[in-house]
Amino acid sequence: LYRIALKDKKDASFDITPCVGEYYLLDREEGNVANHVLFQCPNHLGKGVLVSPTVHGNLIVGPDASYDMPVKDYTGNTQKGLDFVRAASQRTIKNVNFRNNIRNFAGVRATIQGKDDFLIEESPYLKHFINFAGIKSPGLTSGPAFGKELVRMLEADGEKLEKKEEFKYYRLPDFFHELSMEEKQELIKKDSRYGQIICRCETVTEGEIVHAIHQPIPATTIDGVKRRTNAGMGRCQGGFCGPKVFEILKRELNLEFDEVYQDVTGSKVVVEKTKGEK
């Protein structure tokens, strides 16, 4: 409907400019370097490079802010960006041991030039189509408030909304390694797969992985399992558990070896069988 309303023209009411930010994720050995999220003074590029502990005990450092990218969804890393993050972080904490880095990654922020805040408004091209644009770093935290604001805006515009009574809420399970010894033993009695550790770094069990695969919204790729259970998030970054997760996905979803993906469709882990394999 939106494209029809625009008649394949660009929405000229605002313009999105992608901005890449690169990060270091360090091992838990560095997790106690900072006890809080430490921001530097913000500038025209944003809140600057932060140094922060993560909820899982690691240390995260970054990001920079670069508008120099080949395509709008580019999320690769550059030596220039990482060098900047590393040097800038020294103004906050000088004793971060970057040799304990276990992963680098980048994210893309949607910025609107000349606007420092979110853009939340009805499209001038289609009634009741609400644009939420220029959603930068706090967007995830703001998500629930966005939903309430959307309801308020539509009701104020005369729309009658009905509550979805059959909405089903699924609580995320507790991490096995966070349970008490008694709770762990009780869980293993019910399902022995919870006694089999697949990811050594994060202490993730086979039972947790199988549970994630068979949820109403299932984890069907290696990265999907990682995001749901933390398997592969540790120091070895899946070097040990990756092949095991591969085999569990293949078994539980009845897949062929070339149907197990790392993440998106087409990101095959195994392309073909080696010589001599049947």
Side-chain angles (χ1 to χ4, degrees):
L1 290 176
Y2 193 52
R3 293 189 64 185
I4 292 173
L6 292 176
K7 297 179 181 178
D8 293 324
K9 295 180 180 179
K10 181 179 178 181
D11 185 341
S13 61
F14 63 92
D15 189 31
I16 293 291
T17 302
C19 177
V20 171
E22 301 187 46
Y23 290 89
Y24 281 88
L25 180 66
L26 289 90
D27 186 59
R28 291 180 180 178
E29 286 187 26
E30 300 300 305
N32 61 356
V33 171
N35 296 323
H36 306 282
V37 181
L38 302 176
F39 283 106
Q40 298 174 5
C41 292
N43 56 37
H44 67 285
L45 294 176
K47 295 190 292 291
V49 173
L50 64 85
V51 178
S52 171
T54 73
V55 294
H56 299 294
N58 300 81
L59 188 75
I60 190 170
V61 182
D64 64 337
S66 172
Y67 293 95
D68 182 20
M69 67 188 73
V71 291
K72 67 179 181 180
D73 55 353
Y74 178 77
T75 54
N77 288 112
T78 65
Q79 192 62 55
K80 178 182 177 182
L82 294 176
D83 287 346
F84 174 85
V85 169
R86 185 167 178 168
S89 70
Q90 299 296 303
R91 294 198 295 266
T92 303
I93 296 181
K94 294 186 180 299
N95 61 335
V96 175
N97 183 2
F98 282 92
R99 295 185 67 180
N100 282 322
N101 182 55
I102 60 175
R103 193 175 186 88
N104 294 108
F105 61 94
V108 179
R109 313 194 268 298
T111 63
I112 300 177
Q113 293 298 319
K115 187 174 180 61
D116 294 329
D117 204 352
F118 302 149
L119 184 147
I120 303 174
E121 64 183 21
E122 184 176 71
S123 167
Y125 300 95
L126 186 62
K127 191 173 179 58
H128 302 324
F129 189 99
I130 311 298
N131 282 313
F132 285 77
I135 310 300
K136 293 186 283 188
S137 301
L140 181 62
T141 306
S142 306
F146 288 166
K148 291 182 178 180
E149 177 63 9
L150 176 61
V151 170
R152 186 198 66 77
M153 292 175 70
L154 291 174
E155 288 181 335
D157 206 23
E159 284 294 290
K160 295 185 181 297
L161 305 178
E162 295 182 7
K163 184 177 180 179
K164 186 176 181 180
E165 299 295 344
E166 68 273 18
F167 174 79
K168 294 181 174 58
Y169 171 75
Y170 295 94
R171 184 181 181 277
L172 292 176
D174 295 321
F175 289 111
F176 181 82
H177 70 88
E178 294 179 347
L179 301 177
S180 67
M181 185 58 68
E182 292 74 18
E183 290 171 323
K184 289 177 180 177
Q185 292 174 344
E186 188 64 31
L187 195 53
I188 293 171
K189 286 180 182 179
K190 295 178 181 178
D191 187 341
S192 61
R193 291 174 296 189
Y194 281 92
Q196 180 67 32
I197 300 297
I198 300 299
C199 175
R200 296 177 179 179
C201 298
E202 298 294 311
T203 319
V204 180
T205 68
E206 182 179 2
E208 291 173 281
I209 294 171
V210 171
H211 182 267
I213 292 172
H214 294 293
Q215 283 292 286
I217 301 178
T220 60
T221 65
I222 293 176
D223 281 354
V225 169
K226 178 172 72 172
R227 286 188 284 264
R228 198 70 63 83
T229 68
N230 273 1
M233 287 280 198
R235 189 178 185 94
C236 81
Q237 289 291 288
F240 174 80
C241 65
K244 294 180 178 294
V245 173
F246 178 98
E247 290 297 334
I248 294 172
L249 282 165
K250 183 173 178 292
R251 180 193 73 206
E252 294 296 318
L253 298 176
N254 194 28
L255 300 173
E256 295 297 326
F257 70 90
D258 59 348
E259 294 176 327
V260 180
Y261 297 132
Q262 183 69 35
D263 194 5
V264 297
T265 300
S267 57
K268 294 182 179 182
V269 179
V270 178
V271 178
E272 61 184 23
K273 293 183 178 179
T274 57
K275 186 177 180 180
E277 286 289 320
K278 295 182 180 179

